[in-house]
C-alpha cells in the first residue's frame, strides 16, 4: 500500500483531474453498483454530503436509529451544516428497528402538517451496538415503506464490507436498496484515510459542489486514492479473518471477565465488554488496559475492542493476557 501511494499518478482533485482519484471513484461505483462515486476524506463528510443531497429544507427531519452515527456523533454537524434535525427510532440490542417502527416514524403529519420527513438514514453494520448486521430483507422492507412515502434512503455503510463478509450478501445487493450510500476504505479495509459517497450520476455535481464548499477539495489526493484502491482490492477478502479473531477474543474473555461478553453477539469485528462483573468501570478498564499495552475505547458504557488488518493472532493473545492481568489485580 505504501509503495502504491509513493508511485501514485496525481492531478488536482478540485478540477476532477486526478487520475488515481478518478480510478478509485470508478471502482467504488462498480463495486457498489451505483452510477458514480465521490472520494472524500472522512466517513463523516461522506454522510454529511449524502444527507444534504436529499435534505430539502431547515426544519425538516431525517429518520434514523437513535444510536446511529448520523444521529449521535454527527448530530451537531448535521444541524450546523444543513439545519438537519432527527426523528430517532430506538433500536434493539443489535441496533435494529422493526418495519413498524419505520412505518410509524415515516407517518405523515396529517394533523398539523408541520413535520416533513426528507430522508431515512440506515446504518450497516450498526457500530454502536457492536458491529451488527442488517438483514437484506429488512432493508428491502424499509425501502418499500420509504418509497411509498416519497422518502429517499441513505445508507451509512462505513463497514458495509464487514456486513457483506458476515452475511454473504453482496455489497451491491445492499446498495441496490438505497438511493445513496457511503463506505470507508479507512476502517476494516485498511487504508489510512478516505471514504466514498456512491449514488446516481445526476446527484454527483451537487455532491462535488458540497464537498468543495466544506473544504474537501483535497488537491493531489491520488496519493490517498492509491491506498484506497489497494484496500478495496485486498481488504474485503480478508475481513473474515478479523471476524474470526474477534469471535475468539470474545470466547476466551468469557472465562476472564465475569458476565462480560456474549460471544454470540459478536457478528463482525467488534467485541464489547461489560466490566461491571469484574468490579470496575469501563473507563478504569480502558486505562488499565492501556497501561499494559492494550488499546481499547468505550462505547455505551462498555469497553470496545476492534480487530482489523493490523491485529494478528499474537495481538489477540496479548489482549487476553492484558485482560487477565487487570482482572486479577
Ligand atoms: C457507522 C459510522 N459511520 C460513520 C463514521 C465516520 O467515519 P469517519 O471517522 O471517517 O468520519 C463512523 C466512524 O467511526 C462510523 O462508525
Amino acid at each position: 500500500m505504501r509503495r502504491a501511494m509513493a508511485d501514485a499518478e496525481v492531478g488536482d482533485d478540485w478540477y476532477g483531474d486526478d487520475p488515481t482519484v478518478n480510478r478509485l471513484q470508478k471502482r467504488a461505483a462498480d463495486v457498489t453498483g451505483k452510477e458514480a462515486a465521490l472520494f472524500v476524506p472522512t466517513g463523516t463528510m461522506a454522510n454529511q454530503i449524502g444527507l444534504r443531497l436529499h435534505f430539502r429544507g431547515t426544519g425538516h427531519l431525517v429518520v434514523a436509529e437513535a444510536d446511529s452515527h448520523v444521529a449521535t456523533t454527527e448530530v451537531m454537524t448535521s444541524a450546523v451544516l444543513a439545519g438537519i434535525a432527527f426523528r430517532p427510532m430506538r433500536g434493539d440490542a443489535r441496533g435494529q428497528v422493526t418495519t413498524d417502527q419505520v412505518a410509524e416514524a415515516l407517518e405523515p403529519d396529517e394533523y398539523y402538517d408541520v413535520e416533513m420527513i426528507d430522508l431515512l438514514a440506515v446504518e450497516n453494520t450498526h457500530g454502536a451496538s457492536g458491529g451488527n448486521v442488517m438483514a437484506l430483507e429488512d432493508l428491502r422492507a424499509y425501502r418499500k415503506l420509504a418509497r411509498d412515502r416519497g422518502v429517499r434512503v441513505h445508507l451509512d455503510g462505513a463497514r458495509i464490507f464487514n456486513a457483506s463478509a458476515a452475511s454473504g450478501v453482496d455489497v451491491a445487493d445492499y446498495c441496490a436498496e438505497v438511493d445513496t450510500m457511503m463506505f470507508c476504505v479507512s476502517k476494516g479495509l485498511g487504508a489510512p484515510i478516505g471514504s466514498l459517497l456512491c449514488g446516481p450520476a445526476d446527484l454527483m455535481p451537487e455532491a462535488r459542489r458540497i464537498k468543495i464548499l466544506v473544504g474537501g477539495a483535497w488537491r493531489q489526493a491520488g496519493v490517498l486514492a492509491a491506498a484506497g484502491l489497494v484496500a478495496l482490492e485486498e481488504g474485503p477478502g480478508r475481513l473474515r479473518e478479523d471476524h474470526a479473531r474477534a469471535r475468539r477474543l470474545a470466547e476466551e474473555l468469557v472465562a476472564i471477565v465475569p458476565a462480560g461478553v456474549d460471544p454470540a453477539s459478536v457478528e463482525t469485528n467488534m467485541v464489547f465488554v461489560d466490566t461491571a462483573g469484574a468490579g470496575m468501570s469501563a473507563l478504569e478498564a480502558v486505562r488499565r488496559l492501556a497501561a499494559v499495552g492494550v488499546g481499547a475505547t468505550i462505547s455505551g458504557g462498555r469497553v470496545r475492542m476492534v480487530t482489523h488488518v493490523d491485529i494478528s493472532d499474537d495481538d489477540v493473545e496479548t489482549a487476553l493476557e492484558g485482560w487477565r492481568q487487570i482482572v486479577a489485580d
Side-chain angles (χ1 to χ4, degrees):
M1 190 180 278
R2 291 287 176 98
R3 172 57 45 212
M5 293 172 80
D7 292 345
E9 192 188 348
V10 295
D12 189 329
D13 186 46
W14 186 310
Y15 302 109
D17 71 4
D18 185 302
T20 313
V21 169
N22 293 343
R23 260 199 308 133
L24 174 61
Q25 291 178 162
K26 169 85 177 62
R27 181 82 191 111
D30 288 348
V31 169
T32 56
K34 293 298 185 199
E35 287 173 355
L38 188 69
F39 185 43
V40 298
T42 62
T44 300
M45 191 187 284
N47 270 339
Q48 288 299 314
I49 296 172
L51 298 188
R52 185 145 161 194
L53 281 177
H54 305 296
F55 200 62
R56 284 172 294 156
T58 304
H60 292 202
L61 296 167
V62 171
V63 170
E65 198 283 323
D67 287 333
S68 62
H69 200 272
V70 291
T72 54
T73 314
E74 295 179 44
V75 75
M76 285 183 288
T77 325
S78 306
V80 170
L81 292 183
I84 291 173
F86 288 91
R87 173 174 285 177
M89 302 173 287
R90 177 54 62 194
D92 61 17
R94 298 180 59 255
Q96 307 301 307
V97 293
T98 63
T99 44
D100 283 350
Q101 284 177 287
V102 175
E104 196 183 322
L106 295 176
E107 191 64 27
D109 176 21
E110 281 173 5
Y111 297 111
Y112 304 109
D113 235 3
V114 170
E115 294 178 8
M116 307 290 290
I117 309 286
D118 285 357
L119 181 68
L120 171 65
V122 294
E123 185 175 307
N124 192 17
T125 64
H126 189 276
S129 67
N132 300 97
V133 181
M134 181 181 287
L136 182 60
E137 313 81 72
D138 289 343
L139 183 56
R140 281 204 178 115
Y142 306 156
R143 163 66 155 183
K144 182 171 180 333
L145 287 165
R147 189 172 271 165
D148 290 349
R149 299 260 183 265
V151 170
R152 288 184 180 167
V153 184
H154 171 76
L155 166 65
D156 176 345
R159 298 182 186 81
I160 194 68
F161 286 89
N162 291 90
S164 171
S167 64
V169 173
D170 201 279
V171 164
D173 289 337
Y174 285 121
C175 298
E177 302 303 326
V178 299
D179 296 284
T180 54
M181 67 83 60
M182 78 84 168
F183 69 91
C184 302
V185 283
S186 60
K187 298 197 162 55
L189 298 185
I193 189 170
S195 295
L196 288 119
L197 175 72
C198 308
D202 63 354
L203 290 182
M204 284 303 142
E206 178 61 5
R208 259 182 68 76
R209 192 185 76 84
I210 301 169
K211 169 183 162 180
I212 293 169
L213 204 71
V214 296
W218 49 347
R219 304 297 185 183
Q220 298 181 27
V223 174
L224 295 160
L229 280 162
V230 174
L232 211 41
E233 185 64 30
E234 296 177 0
R238 48 152 302 283
L239 291 177
R240 280 195 194 89
E241 291 173 32
D242 295 346
H243 298 183
R245 287 195 180 99
R247 181 57 88 105
R248 203 183 114 231
L249 180 62
E251 282 166 354
E252 305 241 355
L253 279 171
V254 168
I256 302 172
V257 187
V261 195
D262 174 10
S265 70
V266 177
E267 297 177 22
T268 54
N269 65 333
M270 293 183 192
V271 180
F272 280 29
V273 187
D274 188 333
T275 53
M280 66 183 103
S281 69
L283 186 60
E284 195 184 341
V286 165
R287 285 195 181 136
R288 288 167 70 180
L289 283 169
V292 294
V294 178
T297 54
I298 299 175
S299 180
R302 292 184 291 171
V303 176
R304 171 188 184 262
M305 309 188 84
V306 180
T307 54
H308 51 79
V309 64
D310 297 319
I311 300 293
S312 64
D313 287 334
D314 286 350
D315 294 326
V316 171
E317 279 312 318
T318 305
L320 288 166
E321 194 42 44
W323 276 101
R324 280 187 203 101
Q325 279 183 39
I326 70 159
V327 171
D329 277 354

